[in-house]
């Protein structure tokens, strides 16, 4: 089985007849991400983003413009059936859409099926049956571990087993839905007894989301060399975290109410096929690190299992927006700082026979660079709140205040190819009830 191939759909010379698509920062014709949208006054339906427009795939299928197998999976209000199809079905759909959107001869057929993205509402792209969050950002794990356990930042299992926990699928929302500050129980070390109230140390986490494609049967693991067939695509994920709740509750079973109140995703699924030109080798492990167990090791996964993705976080406060100030860049990092590949986390998840299903979502865990400029959470940037960040408005931030808006963004770049982006993963914090 070969890795996703670079083909004619990635050709940097391709030009789309859709106005504004060429040179679009996120969605040029080389991207073609899948999503679910409602046009003004309409019902949710499956579409793809092209520049500042959305193409209605259900309508295109009804007009007989799409390959029969993929077209038959483009009805309904979520993408689970198309995600669950073999990767070859999505590859064929991608090649067809690339032809339709580049050859001006198809413009008369398709023009009426395009909607201005600004007039559309974007929804969760799939019914998310299960959500699991991992912890593969080794620099994040070290930074956070130092705050909780100064002498012992990385626990002894970290380099042997991809650490994760089962998260909460019901509270995942697409970009734009406000996040309500959670109430919860906390007890700082200097307090005699716990209290219940609004979280005082609300944070964001910069993560990638992994959309599961074809599932596996209960009791049937996914071999590492086949893991990529089960990965339909990626999105951005902000795993909002209440650090004061987390510090009190996390032992012995891990995160619970500190993490389950809301998670925000970018609503477009950037497909594994679109990301083919941006695959890169996983960074070699330092010679002193243990060799992973054989079920997690595949030469192909090591050679192609990482991604050349730049990741950014921006913040605005209410005062900054009122003064018309530009968003403050909080960090700029890269996805290659993952200690485990997404193939390894998929394989590890299923290794005991756990069944993954189409539309399940895996979070990578917070991705931080080794240097401060690429730290993926406020907890790291402010050293647990001890070094507040100055904002251009004259305010400072240790953790998020009501009215703050956080935007995650990602761009895939490789020499000789057109960069593609993920679109924003954005939400504003509103007060606790
Ligand atoms: Mn997380």
């Amino acid at each position: 089985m070969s890795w996703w191939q670079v083909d004619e759909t990635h050709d940097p010379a391709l030009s789309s007849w859709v106005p504004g698509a060429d040179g679009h920062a996120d969605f040029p014709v080389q991207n073609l991400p899948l999503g679910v949208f409602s046009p003004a006054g309409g019902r949710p339906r499956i579409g793809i983003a092209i520049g500042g427009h959305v193409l209605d795939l259900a309508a295109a299928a009804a007009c007989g413009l799409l390959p029969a197998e993929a077209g038959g999976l483009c009805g309904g209000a979520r993408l689970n059936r198309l995600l669950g199809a073999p990767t070859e079905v999505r590859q064929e759909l991608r090649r067809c859409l690339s032809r339709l959107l580049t050859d001006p001869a198809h413009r008369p057929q398709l023009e009426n099926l395009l909607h201005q993205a600004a007039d559309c509402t974007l929804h969760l792209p799939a019914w998310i049956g299960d959500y699991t969050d991992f912890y593969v950002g080794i620099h994040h794990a070290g930074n956070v571990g130092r705050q909780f356990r100064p002498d012992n930042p990385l626990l002894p299992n970290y380099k042997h087993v991809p650490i994760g926990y089962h998260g909460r699928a019901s509270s995942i929302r697409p970009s734009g839905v406000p996040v309500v500050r959670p109430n919860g129980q906390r007890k700082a070390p200097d307090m005699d007894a716990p209290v219940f109230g609004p979280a005082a140390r609300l944070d964001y986490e910069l993560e990638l989301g992994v959309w599961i494609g074809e599932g596996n049967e209960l009791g049937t693991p996914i071999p590492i060399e086949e893991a990529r067939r089960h990965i339909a695509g990626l999105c951005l994920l902000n795993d909002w975290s209440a650090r004061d709740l987390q510090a009190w509750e996390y032992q012995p079973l891990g995160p619970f109410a500190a993490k389950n109140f809301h998670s925000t995703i970018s609503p477009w699924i950037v497909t594994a096929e679109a990301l083919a030109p941006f695959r890169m080798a996983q960074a070699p492990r330092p010679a002193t690190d243990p060799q992973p167990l054989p079920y997690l090791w595949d030469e192909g996964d090591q050679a192609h299992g990482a991604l050349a993705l730049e990741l950014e976080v921006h913040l605005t406060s209410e005062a900054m927006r009122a003064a018309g100030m530009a968003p403050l860049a909080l960090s700029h990092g890269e996805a290659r700082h993952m200690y485990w590949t997404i193939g390894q986390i998929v394989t590890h998840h299923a290794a005991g026979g756990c069944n993954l299903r189409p539309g399940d979502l895996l979070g990578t865990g917070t991705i931080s660079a080794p240097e401060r400029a690429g730290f993926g959470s406020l907890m790291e940037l402010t050293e647990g709140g001890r070094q507040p960040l100055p904002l251009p408005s004259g305010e400072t931030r240790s953790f998020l205040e009501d009215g703050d808006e956080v935007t995650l963004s990602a761009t895939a770049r490789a020499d000789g190819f057109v960069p593609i982006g993920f679109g924003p993963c954005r939400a504003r914090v509103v007060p606790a009830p």
Side-chain angles (χ1 to χ4, degrees):
M1 184 195 322
S2 62
W3 281 78
W4 293 289
Q5 297 298 307
V6 171
D7 62 21
E8 70 273 16
T9 66
H10 304 100
D11 185 344
L14 287 182
S15 170
S16 175
W17 52 261
V18 177
D22 291 352
H24 193 274
D26 290 321
F27 307 133
V29 73
Q30 289 84 356
N31 193 344
L32 305 176
L34 296 163
V36 172
F37 74 103
S38 296
R43 281 200 278 196
R45 63 198 73 182
I46 291 172
I48 58 142
I50 173 75
H53 290 79
V54 181
L55 176 68
D56 183 335
L57 288 194
C63 296
L65 296 170
L66 304 184
E69 190 168 1
L73 301 173
C74 284
R78 292 294 185 268
L79 277 158
N80 297 65
R81 288 196 306 149
L82 186 58
L83 297 180
T87 58
E88 289 77 8
V89 172
R90 285 188 302 275
Q91 274 171 339
E92 189 188 10
L93 174 64
R94 175 178 168 83
R95 285 192 292 266
C96 172
L97 289 169
S98 179
R99 283 192 300 272
L100 290 172
L101 292 166
T102 52
D103 183 348
H106 296 292
R107 183 169 185 163
Q109 296 167 293
L110 286 171
E111 223 164 16
N112 295 333
L113 312 182
L114 283 174
H115 299 266
Q116 293 275 356
D119 299 336
C120 297
T121 303
L122 293 169
H123 306 281
L124 290 179
W127 303 116
I128 305 171
D130 276 298
Y131 159 54
T132 304
D133 198 22
F134 283 87
Y135 200 48
V136 308
I138 189 168
H139 306 298
H140 169 77
N143 290 339
V144 172
R146 253 184 298 283
Q147 293 183 26
F148 283 107
R149 298 174 302 273
D151 305 329
N152 193 19
L154 275 191
L155 292 170
N157 55 6
Y158 189 85
K159 292 181 175 178
H160 295 276
V161 55
I163 302 295
Y165 67 97
H166 287 109
R168 187 74 197 168
S170 68
S171 54
I172 300 173
R173 292 292 180 277
S175 181
V177 177
V179 55
V180 179
R181 179 181 298 274
N183 286 305
Q185 185 180 140
R186 65 180 188 274
K187 180 189 165 306
D190 59 354
M191 293 164 72
D192 292 331
V195 296
F196 183 87
R201 292 158 72 90
L202 182 62
D203 202 353
Y204 65 87
E205 291 194 333
L206 167 62
E207 305 195 18
L208 289 173
V210 179
W211 289 103
I212 297 297
E214 272 188 283
N216 60 304
E217 292 298 323
L218 183 68
T220 307
I222 298 173
I224 180 70
E225 62 274 12
E226 289 174 22
R228 60 189 177 273
R229 286 194 66 87
H230 297 267
I231 299 165
L234 301 182
C235 64
L236 284 158
L237 168 67
N238 183 344
D239 178 27
W240 302 96
S241 297
R243 301 300 183 194
D244 41 355
L245 278 51
Q246 186 178 1
W248 174 229
E249 75 173 6
Y250 89 107
Q251 289 178 327
L253 286 187
F256 183 57
K259 303 274 192 173
N260 71 6
F261 55 93
H262 196 128
S263 306
T264 302
I265 61 170
S266 57
W268 292 106
I269 299 179
V270 178
T271 63
E273 296 80 35
L275 290 166
F278 310 102
R279 302 210 146 260
M280 58 188 279
Q282 175 73 348
R285 293 181 163 224
T288 50
D289 283 8
Q291 175 72 10
L293 288 167
Y295 79 100
L296 292 172
W297 189 261
D298 174 63
E299 293 297 338
D301 183 54
Q302 292 298 307
H304 307 287
L307 286 162
L309 266 180
E310 293 178 17
L311 306 170
E312 289 184 293
V313 183
H314 287 84
L315 172 82
T316 61
S317 69
E318 212 157 276
M320 287 171 66
R321 292 190 299 275
M325 292 175 170
L328 173 68
L330 291 181
S331 71
H332 188 146
E334 293 173 79
R336 64 186 171 86
H337 297 299
M338 291 166 50
Y339 191 75
W340 301 98
T341 66
I342 56 178
Q344 286 172 318
I345 63 177
V346 166
T347 289
H348 180 67
H349 203 309
C354 174
N355 53 320
L356 302 177
R357 293 176 295 188
D360 281 359
L361 184 68
L362 312 186
T364 56
T366 309
I367 302 173
S368 287
E371 64 284 346
R372 188 181 178 289
F375 286 178
S377 68
L378 277 180
M379 188 187 194
E380 296 167 85
L381 287 168
T382 67
E383 296 175 34
R386 286 187 296 279
Q387 303 286 339
L389 291 175
L391 305 188
S393 52
E395 304 166 280
T396 61
R397 283 294 180 276
S398 298
F399 289 95
L400 296 169
E401 303 285 339
D402 293 341
D404 287 356
E405 184 175 89
V406 178
T407 304
L408 315 182
S409 52
T411 306
R413 290 184 200 280
D415 285 343
F417 292 94
V418 173
I420 63 173
F422 279 44
C425 176
R426 174 183 295 144
R428 194 173 292 185
V429 177
V430 300

